């Protein structure tokens, strides 16, 4: 996400979620069919009291857990050949939920990913290369400001011409990026503090504040710059300024030995986002199918204990009774509060640290309008084109932002219809939990009619409403310290081989979860190599 402070183009809205939905409704006339991965768990002979052994148990069958398992299988096949992925629900995929009905295909959790090389490697290894779809890299992104949707600059050459900022604001941002700004305060800064100090008020209010709402559904006055946008934070640390750090990073890359890129990987053009022909659900489905019987569904973990002989004993409630798994290593990819409850008997301090991480509620609201409902000034060559739009909290709308789903990827809506995925809630609007699904749809429709939809247009076709009470982990000031406390507490207490993974560790974007999966798989491999059981 290089220079994403100036170019918020890699992930626009809410890339990952962290807990099952509170409630779900389908609005007539559609009858919803949600397509999710389904893999039958293998039969455990003997019922209750069964004990099985494993090299590694991955707790959680969401995207992080599945990708860790695939990374181990493809990159470190000798580290943990006997691995198990356990999932408490009756399906894999976690918060990836793709729904399809009557010509519509929509997402109710993450909506897309940045096609980095690790992400593309996972795609290719899953057999999905031919199913990959990429958005138009020239598709504009918009921010609502003073009642108008204004395009965000897609590259540095656009900066002098876009009207989202004043000339004075652009000059202030340029000088600050060069290093003409107040010095760092010598403490951990929030995103708001960092951006206002480096790039000025306009960049924060018109670009970064809505960007934080879109990525984290968060409050930038509380989010940590170091934790939430570490790559940009490091630019100033390494180069004395954002521009100085950028030039230094370019020089370091130029001088570093060039790695040979995997020739199997597609070559995306420009800054874009990706999905699959039948939605994001295809990735967990494909990985789970490859893992086969290694994936155990409806396995609810009730306790973890350390074995005197080394390794861990995990006790599960399963459809076949109580099952104990004795494993050399364990990776926890469940949300931090779930991991904390399970780990409390092992380490009180680790559990306390994990319990302090905050997940605000978010609702995903999918609606459809006829094409003629789009305002004329929002059309490009007669079509609704673009990735979507973000709404700063100061602009008098409740919705965080809107994805133009039917414009971004093909075959997402019937001919003549527009499909819009809207997000509402977040750290600054937790009151959505008290609203009915009808009220959430009304709020979204009311907001859209202020800038995108004609005020006198027909009512939207209501597809799905998915409310996530604990959606996205907030990387608040102190987040990295809490994470370090949890990890070091486990290690100092003798729980080597017990790893923490998932989006609160790696990052909230779907692509970061995949990159983190490769990192975790390497950690497991190193542990298994160093502490091989005899």
């Amino acid at each position: 996400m290089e220079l994403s402070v100036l170019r918020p183009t890699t992930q626009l809205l809410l890339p990952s979620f962290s807990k099952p939905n509170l409630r779900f409704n389908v609005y007539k006339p559609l009858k919803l069919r949600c397509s999710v991965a389904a893999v039958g768990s293998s039969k455990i002979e003997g019922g209750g009291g069964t004990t099985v052994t494993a090299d590694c148990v991955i707790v959680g069958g969401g995207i992080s857990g599945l990708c860790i398992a695939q990374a181990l299988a493809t990159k470190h096949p000798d580290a943990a050949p006997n691995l198990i992925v356990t999932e408490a629900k009756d399906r894999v995929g976690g918060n990836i939920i793709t729904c399809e009905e009557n010509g519509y295909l929509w997402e109710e959790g993450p909506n897309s990913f940045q096609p980095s090389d690790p992400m593309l490697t996972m795609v290719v290894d899953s057999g999905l290369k031919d199913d990959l779809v990429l958005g138009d890299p020239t598709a504009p992104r918009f921010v609502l400001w003073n009642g108008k949707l204004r395009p965000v600059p897609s590259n540095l050459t656009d900066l002098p011409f876009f009207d989202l900022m004043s000339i004075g604001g652009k000059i202030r941002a340029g000088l600050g990026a060069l290093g003409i700004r107040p010095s760092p305060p010598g403490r951990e800064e929030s995103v708001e503090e960092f951006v206002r100090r480096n790039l000025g008020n306009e960049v924060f209010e018109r670009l970064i504040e809505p960007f934080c709402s879109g990525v984290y559904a968060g409050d930038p006055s509380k989010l940590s710059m170091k934790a939430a946008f570490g790559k940009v934070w490091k630019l100033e640390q390494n180069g004395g300024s954002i521009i100085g750090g950028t030039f230094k990073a370019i020089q370091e890359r130029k001088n570093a030995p060039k790695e040979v890129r995997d020739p199997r990987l597609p070559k995306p053009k420009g800054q874009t986002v990706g999905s699959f022909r039948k939605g994001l659900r295809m990735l967990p489905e494909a990985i789970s199918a490859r893992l086969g019987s290694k994936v155990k569904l409806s396995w609810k973990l009730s306790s973890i204990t350390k074995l005197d002989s080394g390794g861990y004993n995990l006790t599960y409630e399963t459809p076949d009774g109580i099952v104990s798994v004795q494993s050399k290593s364990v990776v926890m990819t469940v949300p931090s509060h779930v991991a904390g409850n399970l780990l409390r008997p092992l380490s009180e301090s680790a559990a306390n640290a994990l319990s302090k991480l905050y997940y605000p509620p978010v609702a995903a609201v999918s609606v459809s309008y006829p094409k003629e409902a789009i305002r004329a000034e929002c059309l490009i060559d007669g079509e609704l084109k673009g990735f979507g739009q973000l709404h700063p909290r100061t602009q008098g709308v409740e919705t965080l932002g809107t994805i133009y789903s039917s414009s971004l990827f093909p075959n997402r809506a019937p001919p003549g219809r527009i499909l819009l995925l809207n997000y509402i809630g977040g750290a600054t609007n937790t009151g959505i939990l008290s609203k009915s699904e009808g009220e959430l749809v009304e709020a979204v429709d009311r907001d859209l009619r202020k800038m995108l939809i004609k005020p006198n247009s027909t009512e939207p076709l209501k597809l799905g409403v998915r409310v996530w009470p604990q959606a996205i982990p907030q990387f608040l000031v102190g987040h990295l310290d809490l994470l370090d406390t949890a990890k070091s507490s486990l290690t100092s207490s003798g729980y080597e081989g017990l790893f923490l993974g998932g989006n609160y560790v790696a990052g909230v974007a779907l692509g970061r979860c995949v990159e983190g999966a490769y990192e975790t798989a390497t950690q497991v491999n190193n542990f298994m190599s160093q502490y091989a059981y005899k």
Side-chain angles (χ1 to χ4, degrees), residues 351-429:
N352 288 339
L354 292 174
S355 68
K356 292 178 182 177
L357 303 185
Y358 173 53
Y359 295 65
V362 174
V365 180
S366 297
V367 294
S368 174
Y369 296 88
K371 283 188 175 181
E372 56 268 23
I374 305 299
R375 295 188 181 203
E377 63 268 25
C378 297
L379 299 175
I380 301 175
D381 298 328
E383 300 289 337
L384 178 65
K385 295 182 179 180
F387 185 97
Q389 59 193 52
L390 289 170
H391 312 145
R393 300 297 80 210
T394 58
Q395 297 305 294
V397 295
E398 191 174 0
T399 312
L400 296 169
T402 300
I403 299 291
Y404 303 165
S405 299
S406 52
S407 301
L408 186 59
F409 300 123
N411 303 316
R412 298 297 167 109
R417 303 291 300 187
I418 297 293
L419 175 62
L420 302 175
L421 169 57
N422 308 271
Y423 293 101
I424 186 170
T428 61
N429 184 18

Side-chain angles (χ1 to χ4, degrees), residues 96-161:
I96 291 178
I97 298 179
T98 305
C99 298
E100 185 176 15
E101 190 64 48
N102 290 359
Y104 290 96
L105 189 148
W106 70 96
E107 306 286 356
E108 297 196 332
N111 64 83
S112 61
F113 55 81
Q114 183 183 359
S116 63
D117 278 3
M119 185 75 213
L120 293 174
T121 300
M122 190 65 64
V123 170
V124 171
D125 286 344
S126 302
L128 295 177
K129 182 177 180 178
D130 293 339
D131 293 292
L132 178 68
V133 292
L134 298 174
D136 180 359
T138 65
R141 281 81 165 165
F142 300 94
V143 168
L144 175 66
W145 193 258
N146 288 339
K148 180 182 176 182
L149 291 173
R150 303 172 190 270
V152 174
S154 59
N155 53 61
L156 292 176
T157 59
D158 292 341
L159 290 176
F161 307 105

